[in-house]
Amino acid sequence: MFRVLAERPGHLEAQAETLPIRITAPTLEELQHEAREALIEHLGPAHCTYRVRVRRDPGTAVSSIRPAGRRLAALCR
């Protein structure tokens, strides 16, 4: 889970809630990509897709990226 700390045109900044990872990107799509890359760098490669969630405030998910299928998702938990 990444929380958006700063948001202005052409600049998004987010911090992982439970890991010491801070990322920046110009768009939400690129922020998701940077978050996934930062997780891989911090935790190492995995046999499945990392799930990335970006939130603007405590209750509202802005976006999420999930594993491709239910079977794969079950293996990743």
Side-chain angles (χ1 to χ4, degrees), residues 11-70:
H11 179 83
L12 292 166
E13 186 175 335
Q15 169 76 40
E17 290 187 352
T18 58
L19 297 170
I21 300 173
R22 193 174 190 123
I23 55 173
T24 61
T27 65
L28 183 59
E29 182 178 297
E30 290 182 46
L31 189 73
Q32 290 175 316
H33 176 75
E34 291 298 322
R36 191 171 37 253
E37 292 297 316
L39 285 171
I40 291 169
E41 184 176 322
H42 185 79
L43 300 173
H47 69 280
C48 59
T49 304
Y50 283 106
R51 292 175 19 158
V52 175
R53 293 186 67 121
V54 177
R55 290 185 186 255
R56 284 193 172 109
D57 62 51
T60 308
V62 175
S63 63
S64 62
I65 299 174
R66 302 180 196 281
R70 290 181 186 210

